[in-house]
């Protein structure tokens, strides 16, 4: 274990807020890596070098010329779990610093131990995240004996069948707040399911849970949604379709991702399962340019404003199952006015929205139009 410069600077700053003594921290080579006197940083401290070389517990200095770069004071070996990590130097007469020396020394060792523990935890978390990414990318071939043992070392039990829930923010908060919300969601997921593993990517949060039933998985998603809302954030969540075992996790992740995408398309739905979606199963395989061409083909000659108005009318018409009365009420227009709008669309496009035969054409148009809008494509581009 090595005392790092960043660690040392943080420790000196922490101690200096409560104790007035002049403090230096030296590494195992005797170089001052942090000090209350910035001019001494990166200079050689001969007394520290001797403490490490001769394995001394402490070394007093009485004169400026005793050791190169050292001043009168006392220097103490720093150890964590019996291993030397550096040297603590406190400037001043021995009698005046002695009452505080052991306190400062112990405080320093505890801070180093805490920082080392946090570093190891962060490393473990990085390894867990890497493992889960590999699992989602290669689940069909991932479940070897070696990987199962690796999972156990990371406290991930691959013998437990998993379901996938993916989530992302309706509006992305600033990074510090997003990290805080993610931590809260991770704790909530663990509270609801102790075996749950959580993976954060740049685009979404993935929960791998051993909750199997669809009803319980929806309840799990609702609790995560409520957790985010209690912190002022809105989530969209997609659920996979039940699979036989963990070899299908890559497919399950793709299913949940498509369900999540469907939530964003609809705009008013926060939780959606793969079993509830239809065109999303294959629509993302169609290039956006092809979707735009299809919309322009059906609504040939429409200006962007005319197209947006027609789309709004058709969305409302289909949402109300073709009811003229309900659609007119929702649009705050007279039934005759609505009829005229629909007739005009039929005349200009050649497809009558009121016809069952033509409804599929407009359903596809509405779907593609929403995709283009989400992707930032403009009708006149």
């Amino acid at each position: 274990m090595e005392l790092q410069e960043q660690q040392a600077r943080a420790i000196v700053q922490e101690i200096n807020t409560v104790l007035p003594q002049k403090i230096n921290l030296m590494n195992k080579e005797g170089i001052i890596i942090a000090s209350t006197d910035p001019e001494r940083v990166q200079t050689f401290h001969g007394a520290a070098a001797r403490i490490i070389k001769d394995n001394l517990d402490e070394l007093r200095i009485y004169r400026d010329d005793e050791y190169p770069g050292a001043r009168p004071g006392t220097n103490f070996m720093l150890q964590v779990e019996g291993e030397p990590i550096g040297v603590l130097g406190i400037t001043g007469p021995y009698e005046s610093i002695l009452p505080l020396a052991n306190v400062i020394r112990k405080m320093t060792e505890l801070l180093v131990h805490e920082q080392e523990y946090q570093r190891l935890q962060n490393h473990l978390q990085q390894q867990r995240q890497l493992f889960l990414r590999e699992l989602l990318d290669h689940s069909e071939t991932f479940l070897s004996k070696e990987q199962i043992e690796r999972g156990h070392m990371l406290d991930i039990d691959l013998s437990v069948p998993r379901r996938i829930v993916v989530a992302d923010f309706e509006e992305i908060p600033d990074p510090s707040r997003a990290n805080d919300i993610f931590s809260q969601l991770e704790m909530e997921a663990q509270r609801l399911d102790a075996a749950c593993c959580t993976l954060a990517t740049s685009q979404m949060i993935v929960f791998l849970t051993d909750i199997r039933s669809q009803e319980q998985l929806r309840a799990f998603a609702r609790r995560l949604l409520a957790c985010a809302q209690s912190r002022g954030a809105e989530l969209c969540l997609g659920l996979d379709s039940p699979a036989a075992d963990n070899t299908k996790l890559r497919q399950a992740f793709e299913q949940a991702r498509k369900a999540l995408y469907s939530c964003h398309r609809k705009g008013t739905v926060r939780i959606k399962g793969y079993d509830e979606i239809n065109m999303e199963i294959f629509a993302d395989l169609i290039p956006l340019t092809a979707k735009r061409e299809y919309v322009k083909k059906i609504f040939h000659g429409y200006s962007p404003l005319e197209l947006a108005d027609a789309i709004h009318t058709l969305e409302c018409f289909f949402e109300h199952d073709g009811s003229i009365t309900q659609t007119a009420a929702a649009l705050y227009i007279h039934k005759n006015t609505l009829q005229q709008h629909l007739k005009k669309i039929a005349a200009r496009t050649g497809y009558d929205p009121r016809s069952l035969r033509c409804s599929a054409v407009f359903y596809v148009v509405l779907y593609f139009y929403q995709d283009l809008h989400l992707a930032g494509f403009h009708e006149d581009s």
Side-chain angles (χ1 to χ4, degrees):
M1 190 183 302
E2 190 85 24
L3 182 62
Q4 304 296 322
E5 288 189 31
Q6 187 174 359
Q7 280 183 320
R9 287 195 299 269
I11 289 167
V12 167
Q13 184 177 10
E14 183 77 17
I15 293 174
N16 199 230
T17 59
V18 294
L19 297 173
Q21 275 68 27
K22 294 181 179 180
I23 300 166
N24 301 309
L25 282 177
M26 286 73 75
N27 62 19
K28 289 191 285 190
E29 285 71 45
I31 303 299
I32 299 175
I33 57 175
S35 175
T36 52
D37 181 358
E39 293 185 0
R40 298 189 67 186
V41 175
Q42 296 302 322
T43 62
F44 180 71
H45 195 287
R50 186 189 167 192
I51 285 178
I52 296 296
K53 178 177 178 293
D54 296 341
N55 196 30
L56 303 177
D57 186 60
E58 70 174 61
L59 180 62
R60 301 183 201 177
I61 302 174
Y62 299 94
R63 303 184 312 277
D64 286 338
D65 59 353
E66 283 188 70
Y67 293 94
R71 297 176 183 175
T74 307
N75 300 277
F76 302 90
M77 171 82 80
L78 292 174
Q79 295 181 325
V80 173
E81 298 178 356
E83 178 187 351
I85 61 166
V87 176
L88 165 68
I90 307 174
T91 302
Y94 184 75
E95 293 74 16
S96 66
I97 66 173
L98 186 59
L100 294 173
N102 286 331
V103 174
I104 297 174
R105 184 183 189 181
K106 183 56 66 176
M107 184 185 300
T108 303
E109 290 175 344
L110 287 173
L111 287 170
V112 171
H113 186 274
E114 180 182 341
Q115 290 178 350
E116 180 64 16
Y117 173 79
Q118 189 59 52
R119 186 189 69 80
L120 292 173
Q121 288 299 109
N122 290 341
H123 178 71
L124 177 62
Q125 179 65 8
Q126 290 172 2
Q127 292 300 309
R128 285 171 58 88
Q129 296 284 290
L130 177 61
F131 182 85
L132 293 173
R133 285 192 183 95
E134 292 176 6
L135 173 61
L136 291 180
D137 287 341
H138 310 288
S139 62
E140 296 89 343
T141 58
F142 194 77
L143 300 182
S144 65
K145 181 180 178 181
E146 179 185 17
Q147 297 293 5
I148 290 172
E149 290 176 353
R150 179 185 166 203
H152 276 299
M153 292 176 63
L154 296 171
D155 197 27
I156 300 173
D157 187 357
L158 292 182
S159 68
V160 178
R162 306 274 180 174
R163 296 285 305 274
I164 301 287
V165 175
V166 296
D168 65 4
F169 295 107
E170 182 71 16
E171 293 184 7
I172 301 176
D174 64 80
S176 61
R177 184 162 166 263
N179 289 336
D180 176 64
I181 295 171
F182 168 72
S183 297
Q184 295 298 322
L185 289 170
E186 188 174 28
M187 286 190 292
E188 179 68 4
Q190 284 278 322
R191 191 184 68 79
L192 296 170
D193 170 22
C196 184
C197 301
T198 309
L199 169 66
T201 73
S202 59
Q203 298 174 324
M204 65 188 68
I205 307 167
V206 186
F207 302 92
L208 295 88
T209 172
D210 70 349
I211 296 173
R212 300 299 296 164
S213 80
Q214 198 70 7
E215 182 179 344
Q216 290 178 331
L217 195 66
R218 280 191 166 277
F220 176 81
R222 286 195 295 269
R223 296 298 293 270
L224 295 177
L225 179 61
C227 178
Q229 289 174 335
S230 70
R231 285 155 182 82
E234 284 290 351
L235 291 181
C236 285
L237 299 104
L239 318 181
D240 71 351
S241 185
D245 54 48
N246 289 337
T247 62
K248 305 297 184 183
L249 283 177
R250 187 172 68 88
Q251 178 183 339
F253 173 63
E254 183 64 18
Q255 290 175 347
R257 189 195 65 79
K258 288 184 176 181
L260 173 66
Y261 181 64
S262 181
C263 283
H264 285 294
R265 290 187 70 263
K266 188 65 176 175
T268 57
V269 177
R270 290 285 174 261
I271 300 172
K272 202 163 192 179
Y274 181 75
D275 293 340
E276 299 173 70
I277 66 175
N278 39 59
M279 285 188 65
E280 289 92 340
I281 294 174
F282 61 85
D284 59 353
L285 300 175
I286 302 172
L288 288 169
T289 52
K291 294 176 182 178
R292 182 181 60 182
E293 285 305 309
Y294 184 81
V295 173
K296 292 175 71 174
K297 175 181 180 296
I298 301 302
F299 284 90
H300 179 71
Y302 274 69
S303 70
L305 188 60
E306 289 175 325
L307 176 59
D309 184 59
I311 292 291
H312 178 60
T313 299
L314 290 170
E315 282 179 333
C316 193
F317 183 63
F318 285 117
E319 281 179 4
H320 292 88
D321 292 325
S323 169
I324 296 296
T325 301
Q326 293 179 18
T327 303
L331 292 173
Y332 301 102
I333 59 177
H334 194 273
K335 290 187 292 184
N336 291 342
T337 304
L338 174 61
Q339 291 278 20
Q340 289 302 316
H341 286 337
L342 296 175
K343 288 179 181 178
K344 187 175 180 180
I345 292 172
R348 294 187 65 179
T349 65
Y351 299 96
D352 190 344
R354 297 164 297 179
S355 164
L356 182 63
R357 180 179 61 85
C358 298
S359 60
V361 171
F362 289 112
Y363 181 80
V364 172
V365 166
L366 294 176
Y367 190 96
F368 285 178
Y369 184 87
Q370 289 174 340
D371 276 359
L372 294 168
H373 177 73
L374 285 172
F377 268 61
H378 300 288
E379 296 79 14
D380 56 348
S381 61

